[in-house]
Amino acid sequence: MSTPVPRSRRLRAPAPGAAAAPRPPVDWAKVGRRSVRQRAIGMTATEAAAALEEAELQRHLDRDQEDLADDERGPAEIREWQRITQLLATTGGLYDPKADAQLQDEQRRQEQEAEAARRAALAPDVLRHALLGTLARTGLLDSLSEDERAAVGRLPESDPAAALAFNALLARAYEAGTGARAGAAS
């Protein structure tokens, strides 16, 4: 009776003409944040602050190394330590990633609500009303031609960000002009 030959542990090369599936690139910033959260489990605010100082010192020491010039992980770790330190300073106690995840979800929800409010402020009707109000305050509204009035009416629809910027610029120019006149009168 013969003994079977042990199977090879080498990886087999792909068949000729068959390409290996491309791997997605590693998100080193995400790896760094996850690593920090793991290390922070059970830390107090003081311990997290010390870890933040250590990470900042390491980043400072690594700044001259060319291979770390485009490093995403180091800065991401420092930002995560800053966030955790701030979290523990306000909430107290020990770091718990589960409680932190709930806080992050709440913060993300608040950011989404703020973004929705910002978008609502950029609604064409709101912007059109703001532009017309600023033009009325400057005294220019009554002197607009029909073409200019139509352009003011179309701007919020076609480019809300430009309408917002134009409104702010117009208001600043008006305030600067009234301030210069008030200073000249005295």
Side-chain angles (χ1 to χ4, degrees):
M1 192 161 143
S2 65
T3 308
V5 177
R7 296 186 85 182
S8 173
R9 295 182 190 251
R10 285 187 344 175
L11 294 175
R12 293 183 185 200
R23 289 185 169 183
V26 175
D27 183 352
W28 289 109
K30 185 176 181 180
V31 170
R33 289 188 301 271
R34 187 179 306 138
S35 171
V36 167
R37 286 191 295 272
Q38 277 300 123
R39 287 182 279 163
I41 293 175
M43 283 189 175
T44 64
T46 307
E47 293 168 332
L52 170 60
E53 286 180 21
E54 185 179 321
E56 288 172 336
L57 175 63
Q58 188 61 48
R59 181 72 179 158
H60 179 74
L61 294 173
D62 291 344
R63 76 181 186 282
D64 294 331
Q65 296 183 16
E66 285 184 28
D67 60 329
L68 297 176
D70 294 330
D71 177 38
E72 297 174 13
R73 184 173 176 166
E77 285 185 3
I78 290 173
R79 286 190 303 273
E80 189 67 6
W81 278 121
Q82 289 169 336
R83 190 188 67 75
I84 289 172
T85 301
Q86 184 179 17
L87 173 73
L88 291 175
T90 56
T91 61
L94 303 177
Y95 179 74
D96 177 14
K98 291 177 186 171
D100 185 16
Q102 291 172 352
L103 289 173
Q104 283 181 334
D105 289 344
E106 177 64 22
Q107 183 180 17
R108 195 174 301 116
R109 186 187 59 77
Q110 289 173 354
E111 288 170 358
Q112 288 171 345
E113 287 175 358
E115 177 64 17
R118 187 188 73 77
R119 287 179 190 259
L122 290 178
D125 291 340
V126 173
L127 284 174
R128 191 174 299 105
H129 180 73
L131 272 171
L132 292 173
T134 302
L135 287 166
R137 193 173 73 226
T138 62
L140 295 172
L141 183 61
D142 295 333
S143 64
L144 292 179
S145 69
E146 284 188 39
D147 289 340
E148 292 169 332
R149 200 175 278 266
V152 167
R154 285 191 314 267
L155 184 59
E157 297 273 343
S158 63
D159 193 346
L164 189 63
F166 176 71
N167 189 45
L169 180 65
L170 184 63
R172 284 199 336 252
Y174 177 71
E175 290 168 9
T178 57
R181 281 196 300 262
S186 41

